[in-house]
């Protein structure tokens, strides 16, 4: 007989940005580190990389918590088919932003929801097109010193001062650029049996 209580929810991510986004759904959840190697495979396209890593993160946490509903997510900045990851340093962030200035970058944000106990598994991808302004070196330096977005794919945080770097954002899931597409996530959580508005 199925339980009337919803399964526990786990976010398979150590990202503070994803945690803050998931809190918007007002569901109780815990966080678990997925411990997944994020190295791209040779020739792997950015959307394929994002999908593979999101699913790997969800599956890794679900293997340790088989009764939980687990969310895994990954974001890859896609510059003309080349994956740009988290810069990690000021120098790499400077180089990324110089390469992106005046260009359109697609932020590929994948989300997976997995529950081993019920056999549930879904995966989706939100592609956010972001057009960067023709930034000067001085603007890039000012921005990086002010916000230090070294843990963000593509070296920019649109939810902060990074919005001043941009000419346009085109997306059907507005939180995808921050790191977790909540419209898609909510859809999958409902399909996994977690009520959101009850």
């Amino acid at each position: 007989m199925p339980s009337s209580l919803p399964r526990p929810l786990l976010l398979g991510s150590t990202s503070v940005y994803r945690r803050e986004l998931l809190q918007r759904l007002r569901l109780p959840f815990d966080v678990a580190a997925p411990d997944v190697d994020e190295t791209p495979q040779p020739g792997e396209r950015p959307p394929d990389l994002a999908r593979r890593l999101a699913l790997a993160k969800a599956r890794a946490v679900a293997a340790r918590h088989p009764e939980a509903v687990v969310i895994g997510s990954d974001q890859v900045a896609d510059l003309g088919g080349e994956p740009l990851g988290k810069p990690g340093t000021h120098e790499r962030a400077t180089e990324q932003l110089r390469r992106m200035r005046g260009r359109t970058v697609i932020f590929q944000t994948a989300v997976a929801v997995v529950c081993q106990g019920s056999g549930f598994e879904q995966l989706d991808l939100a592609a956010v097109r972001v057009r960067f302004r023709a930034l000067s070196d001085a603007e890039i330096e000012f921005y990086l010193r002010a916000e230090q977005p070294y843990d963000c794919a593509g070296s920019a945080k649109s939810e902060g001062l990074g919005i001043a770097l941009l000419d346009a954002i085109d997306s059907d899931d507005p939180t995808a650029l921050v790191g977790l597409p909540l419209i898609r996530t909510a859809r999958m959580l409902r399909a996994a049996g977690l009520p959101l508005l009850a």
Side-chain angles (χ1 to χ4, degrees):
M1 181 169 157
S3 168
S4 60
L5 293 174
R7 292 179 181 273
L9 178 62
L10 283 174
L11 175 61
S13 174
T14 55
S15 163
V16 65
Y17 310 112
R18 290 192 181 105
R19 188 177 319 135
E20 288 171 356
L21 286 170
L22 188 55
Q23 286 170 346
R24 294 185 189 183
L25 298 182
R26 300 186 182 193
L27 292 171
F29 69 94
D30 288 313
V31 172
D35 299 322
V36 166
D37 179 4
E38 298 189 25
T39 306
Q41 295 175 349
E44 191 171 28
R45 295 173 48 245
D48 298 331
L49 173 61
R51 283 189 198 95
R52 178 175 63 79
L53 292 179
L55 192 54
K57 290 174 182 180
R59 285 176 173 168
V61 173
R64 301 194 311 263
H65 304 275
E67 293 308 311
V69 174
V70 180
I71 300 168
S73 185
D74 194 77
Q75 183 178 78
V76 179
D78 180 345
L79 180 62
E82 178 190 345
L84 300 180
K86 299 169 185 169
T89 67
H90 182 85
E91 292 71 30
R92 283 200 290 262
T94 300
E95 191 235 330
Q96 281 189 356
L97 288 175
R98 283 177 176 166
R99 290 182 63 207
M100 294 187 299
R101 59 184 162 196
R103 297 180 68 183
T104 295
V105 179
I106 301 172
F107 285 81
Q108 309 280 3
T109 307
V111 60
V113 174
V114 173
C115 178
Q116 276 197 355
S118 68
F120 183 87
E121 184 171 290
Q122 284 190 4
L123 174 67
D124 205 347
L125 180 77
V128 182
R129 297 177 61 81
V130 177
R131 193 169 68 246
F132 280 79
R133 292 177 40 250
L135 302 163
S136 68
D137 285 349
E139 287 176 310
I140 290 171
E141 182 67 14
F142 182 92
Y143 170 69
L144 291 176
R145 294 292 177 198
E147 204 151 67
Q148 301 181 13
Y150 309 133
D151 61 345
C152 299
S155 306
K157 293 195 284 190
S158 64
E159 67 274 25
L161 181 60
I163 201 73
L165 304 174
L166 311 179
D167 269 334
I169 298 172
D170 182 22
S171 174
D172 66 354
D173 203 334
T175 57
L177 187 54
V178 183
L180 185 65
L182 283 181
I183 292 173
R184 286 166 171 80
T185 302
R187 183 185 306 136
M188 287 190 265
L189 291 178
R190 286 192 300 269
L194 292 183
L196 270 67
L197 298 172

